[in-house]
Amino acid sequence: MDKRAATIAGLLAAIISLLLGMAALQYLHENALGLPRLLATIVLGRSALDTDVTSAGTALGVGIAVHLVLGLVFAFIISFTLHRWGFWVGLIGGGLFGLALYAINTYSMSRFFPEFYFYRSWFMVALHVVFGALCGGIYESLERDRDRRSIYRN
């Protein structure tokens, strides 16, 4: 597994998926900060959703930080699982991993964070699949073959 490629893939996939989610929420509901505020509840609690208690800047900063950290963790899992199988396996396998991640995040985490219950939607399914597919595809595109020594053995 290429740790450099996993780090880059995780950060890029997290940033792109967060920006897509925020843009879609802004377009659909005029609430781009809804997603970062939801993510901020993991650290700040339910008060992150209340605009009177938690400022937009705080919610945005904490939400982005949480998303990037989780993106890195999931990228390393995706990279470890799918490495060295090629771009298409990374893309499709990453998308399937994103789908599984949606189920885990939404259905199990809603027990600990009830506000996640309201985000059960096709929109969130799509965001998780996009994250996973981006992460797997980017990783496979950037991965350096770790067994280059075998080239020089012959």
Side-chain angles (χ1 to χ4, degrees):
M1 185 178 87
D2 185 349
K3 293 176 186 171
R4 177 196 64 86
T7 302
I8 293 169
L11 291 175
L12 282 176
I15 290 168
I16 292 168
S17 64
L18 182 62
L19 289 175
L20 284 173
M22 290 175 67
L25 284 176
Q26 180 62 32
Y27 177 75
L28 295 171
H29 303 289
E30 296 182 4
N31 184 15
L33 290 181
L35 192 53
R37 280 189 182 278
L38 176 69
L39 292 163
T41 61
I42 294 172
V43 173
L44 302 175
R46 290 194 82 157
S47 65
L49 297 174
D50 189 355
T51 56
D52 295 333
V53 176
T54 306
S55 70
T58 302
L60 183 63
V62 172
I64 289 172
V66 167
H67 192 65
L68 291 177
V69 168
L70 290 174
L72 284 172
V73 169
F74 297 140
F76 273 85
I77 294 170
I78 289 172
S79 301
F80 179 75
T81 306
L82 301 175
H83 76 100
R84 296 181 65 175
W85 283 6
F87 175 77
W88 291 107
V89 171
L91 192 70
I92 295 167
L96 292 173
F97 181 85
L99 189 61
L101 194 58
Y102 166 79
I104 293 166
N105 284 349
T106 308
Y107 291 95
S108 66
M109 294 300 287
S110 62
R111 293 209 181 265
F112 305 106
F113 305 100
E115 50 277 357
F116 278 48
Y117 177 80
F118 299 105
Y119 281 82
R120 293 180 183 179
S121 66
W122 286 106
F123 169 75
M124 291 302 283
V125 171
L127 275 181
H128 281 80
V129 169
V130 165
F131 167 80
L134 281 171
C135 190
I138 292 170
Y139 175 79
E140 287 296 334
S141 297
L142 297 176
E143 181 185 29
R144 295 179 182 157
D145 190 9
R146 72 176 177 168
D147 196 21
R148 291 184 184 176
R149 290 173 281 149
S150 65
I151 296 170
Y152 300 108
R153 288 184 187 158
N154 296 335

